[in-house]
Amino acid sequence: MAASLPYPALYASHGGIWIATPDGETRGVGRGEAIALAAETPLIVLNAPLVGQRLGYPELSGLDLLELFAFIHPARFAVPTPKGLARAIGLAPPQTDSAVADFLRNAAEALLERSDDPHWTEREGAWTAAQTLVRMRWPWAAVIAERLEAPARAERWLFSRLPEWEDAPPRTPPRTVVLEPADVAERLDDLTGHGAEIRPGQQDYAAAAAQAFTPRVRKDEPQLILAEAGTGIGKTLGYLAPASLWAERADGPVWISTYTKTLQRQLARESERLFPDPRVRRKKVVLRKGRENYLCLLNLEDALQGGFAGRAAILAQLVARWAAYSADGDMVGGDLPGWLPTLFRRAGATALTDRRGECIYAGCPHYRKCFIERASRASADADIVIANHALVMVNAARGREAANRPTRLVFDEGHHLFDAADSMFATALTGQEAIELRRWVTGPEGKSRGRRRGLSARLSDVASYDTEGGQAIAEATNAAQALPSDGWLQRLAEGAPFGPIEALLAAVRGTTYARGAGEDAGYGLETEMAELDGALVSAAQPAAEALDALLRPLVRLGRRLEALVEDGPDWLDGQARARVEGAIASLGWRTDALSGWLSLLSRIGGPADPDFVDWLAVDRIEGRDYDVGLHRHWLDPTRPVAEVVLKPAHGVLVTSATLKGGGDWQVAEARSGALHLAQPATRFEAPSPFDYAAQAEVLIVTDVKKGDIAALAGAYGRLVMAAEGGTLGLFTAIRRLRAVHARIADRLAREGLPLYAQHVDPMDTGTLVDIFRDDPRASLLGTDALRDGVDVPGHSLRLVLMEGVPWPKPTVLHAARRLAGGGSAYDDQIIRARLAQAFGRLIRRADDRGLFVMLSAAMPSRLLSAFPPGTPIHRVTLDEAVAHVKDRLGPVILSGQETAGTAPTEKA
């Protein structure tokens, strides 16, 4: 079978490198020979960027099996490992690293043979795409093209395949209903399955959650429920029971907001219990994300018609294949494989979404097929809308969907509400933000590619037919010349800024470098906005005048456009009206940003505003500046949340397994916005049903010296080997993560224990977690994103390692909040929350067993309350910890099957 492909296959792991030749020979090779062969011969590989990194040959290219899989089976899931690919295409997985290279050749042949399979469901469009990819010299194209027969009739192209959404009348306001406790209990019984084991904690939780759906008594006083439900309570079904019942009886939508994409996907799966019929479920349950997550069809069309070149153009073709079969067009966390953009070093992937707010809405020729607009309209008539914290806040603050504002909200992962608000309601006047605004107003500069156009081009008919509107556009375009332009960073470094905004940023950079600490570390610098020198104060006024000169015509243009839409002159046809409506929405965003910048500049040289924290920053990576600017955050970001999100709602449930963050209810109320409401929140708490005394232990290792990278790496390596994989390693610094990975990856690989790492392996976090979940012998190293963004029940995660106490980073913002929040007590609150979240990764179901190991002799006893009551906690040496891990968790794998290690027992 494999002999029909004339290409050798290459596989490289931390344990070695192997080549499988077309004549059936497999042999181990050195790095030099592998690189030489890759440079002169097309090779079949799996994940070329990862293989290239392991070879030390980043230019590696070839016939990547993941690209072939994405062409043959667009919108299908596959873990990007030999085992995962084998499962996805129905082959026996290779049992050893040395057998993988030959497997890759067999897998390639199996995928190519799908072209002869009459049941190949993704055939339509393949022949046409293959012809285009041949012209682009995609390595797989010629092999695919010769196996595909030309279709008898022309294939429907993507833009004719996609269905159109239809307009519908506005939804009537929800009816006023009261949920009876017995009805909620019955709905919960339906969801969990009649006859299932009764869980009192879940029943009590559902009854508490139902209170969020009772009618509110007074305006701006929602029924707010704060509910902490320990892991294992079953809170998802617990709140879906009253939510679905209320949506059904009141005929209104319930928005369920999450922080992580993992929980969004989990909620979508749980909704199958509510609506088993897929057709009904598509109408009743809608997944919503921000615009930047979805494929923009206009951007894709531009890419397909020459806007992209080289590898980016090939990515666009594969994305077009995917879009024809995608369920919702979600490029980030949806059914587009997360690993696909990384195969192309993310060349062009972000340009296929609307990340700059340039959507022209109804003026787009693909508007009626738009994935974003389809999801928006579907959510208006849905029972359950699964969104995220950021989208809920954006829609509340400046959304286009005010008429469909939900009256009932559920914030799952509610402990992240504070962080989401902190990001949403922040202001940043930086060089990168300013140059984006300039380009939005004036259009592209220099050799910029793509469809980006300035205001004048987007509203040319307005400029031609409406004198006042045309004058406002001209004034805005002229005023935007004062904003930073291409090359601004270099001019700042050379001390030759151009224009008032660059002069301001140059002064900011100089002050920050003079006062900021940590320059030698190569990372970002910052300093508080206080006692500023004369040069910076002097630069603020001309900068403010320049921004005001831009804001005034934009505001005037917005008013004029609104008047045109209302008056409807003869020249304003359907397409022109659509462009005007899109411009109005985009103008609102830009004028809000400019107003925030002016407010921030007015602070320079004046008194501090007690509601805000302001500072100057130079953002750097590996010793190089990439942005400079002024920043403003709310001291308490839950204040705007309370005003624009909570008060307009009738009922809100804020829930989490760690809502109190290892502290008390005052923490939950302070970080949810409850303190800013007139009506007190209702509290509910259900402890986890898990027996932590029997299922888990906490070990605090006391003899690993802080700052000793060799000792830290040695500890990680020994503990991972003792557990035989299944380890999640958490770091507070990327530099230490990389150093530890570099020291132990090869050693673990020789023991058959794969090691993956964020910020090392060229894969997105979601893909790394998928790989980790799929292999019980694999381990994963990561930073904050993995502390509570990982849900890996079962034996694949049995050991959590933390390099030390997760102290808060000493930033200007943290210092201000620490001062306002009680000093060290505020620090302890944050640390307890982080420890509780990290520990929460370990035990996800009743039969899980695991250990939590902290490599810190300085772990204060007062922080140990972050762990669940009854959890055994021991201070031990590294040797004792290794022996304990080996005794409790290993051996774990027998003949490829999972076996439970010895169950932990409680110690005095």
Side-chain angles (χ1 to χ4, degrees), residues 263-506:
L263 185 56
Q264 276 192 307
R265 291 194 294 267
Q266 179 184 324
L267 279 166
R269 291 194 299 270
E270 294 284 12
S271 69
E272 296 177 11
R273 299 176 185 243
L274 279 172
F275 308 106
D277 186 332
R279 292 172 297 180
V280 175
R281 188 166 63 252
R282 279 194 293 271
K283 294 182 179 179
K284 296 289 188 179
V285 181
V286 174
L287 187 67
R288 288 288 306 275
K289 295 182 181 179
R291 306 185 69 87
E292 68 280 359
N293 290 274
Y294 294 92
L295 173 67
C296 171
L297 294 175
L298 193 56
N299 284 355
L300 177 63
E301 183 181 47
D302 175 73
L304 296 173
Q305 293 180 352
F308 281 12
R311 289 279 291 165
I314 294 171
L315 173 63
Q317 290 293 328
L318 295 179
V319 169
R321 278 279 288 158
W322 160 78
Y325 295 93
S326 173
D328 56 10
D330 180 3
M331 291 189 68
V332 185
D335 52 16
L336 180 76
W339 40 258
L340 183 59
T342 62
L343 300 180
F344 295 82
R345 278 75 172 183
R346 294 206 174 274
T350 55
L352 294 175
T353 61
D354 178 23
R355 292 181 176 270
R356 297 187 294 260
E358 292 190 318
C359 180
I360 56 176
Y361 300 100
C364 175
H366 310 300
Y367 183 63
R368 298 193 65 83
K369 298 176 183 291
C370 175
F371 289 114
I372 306 165
E373 295 297 329
R374 188 189 310 162
S376 174
R377 280 156 179 76
S379 65
D381 292 317
D383 282 4
I384 304 293
V385 180
I386 303 169
N388 56 60
H389 298 348
L391 178 63
V392 170
M393 293 178 191
V394 167
N395 276 355
R398 60 189 186 204
R400 298 168 59 229
E401 305 169 36
N404 296 317
R405 173 173 284 176
T407 63
R408 299 305 192 279
L409 295 167
V410 175
F411 286 102
D412 202 342
E413 299 180 303
H415 59 281
H416 278 303
L417 204 54
F418 187 96
D419 296 326
D422 195 27
S423 175
M424 166 63 199
F425 296 105
T427 299
L429 170 50
T430 72
Q432 296 289 1
E433 293 290 332
I435 199 171
E436 279 295 319
L437 178 58
R438 175 190 175 115
R439 290 167 179 168
W440 182 81
V441 176
T442 66
E445 299 178 339
K447 299 179 181 179
S448 300
R449 300 176 63 88
R451 67 173 182 86
R452 172 178 283 186
R453 295 179 294 164
L455 265 181
S456 180
R458 288 199 298 274
L459 297 174
S460 56
D461 39 8
V462 173
S464 301
Y465 289 94
D466 184 77
T467 303
E468 186 177 345
Q471 183 178 358
I473 293 172
E475 289 180 14
T477 302
N478 182 61
Q481 303 301 319
L483 296 173
S485 58
D486 288 347
W488 69 275
L489 267 175
Q490 182 176 350
R491 289 193 293 274
L492 259 61
E494 294 171 350
F498 178 79
I501 309 301
E502 288 190 15
L504 171 70
L505 296 177

Side-chain angles (χ1 to χ4, degrees), residues 195-213:
E197 179 185 357
I198 296 177
R199 293 196 279 179
Q202 187 180 46
Q203 292 179 324
D204 293 343
Y205 177 86
Q211 296 178 56
F213 299 94

Side-chain angles (χ1 to χ4, degrees), residues 226-228 414-415 654-662 664-665 667-668 672:
L226 301 180
E228 181 171 272
H415 59 281
V654 180
T655 186
S656 167
T658 57
L659 190 62
K660 296 187 297 181
D664 53 28
W665 280 110
V667 173
S672 65

Side-chain angles (χ1 to χ4, degrees), residues 702-747:
T702 60
D703 59 346
V704 175
K705 185 179 178 182
K706 184 178 179 180
D708 188 337
I709 294 296
L712 182 66
Y716 265 82
R718 291 182 62 191
L719 288 165
V720 171
M721 282 194 285
E724 297 190 11
T727 300
L728 177 65
L730 300 174
F731 289 79
T732 57
I734 296 173
R735 183 168 50 181
R736 287 194 293 275
L737 181 154
R738 289 173 171 164
V740 169
H741 179 274
R743 288 172 180 261
I744 68 174
D746 291 356
R747 174 157 48 110

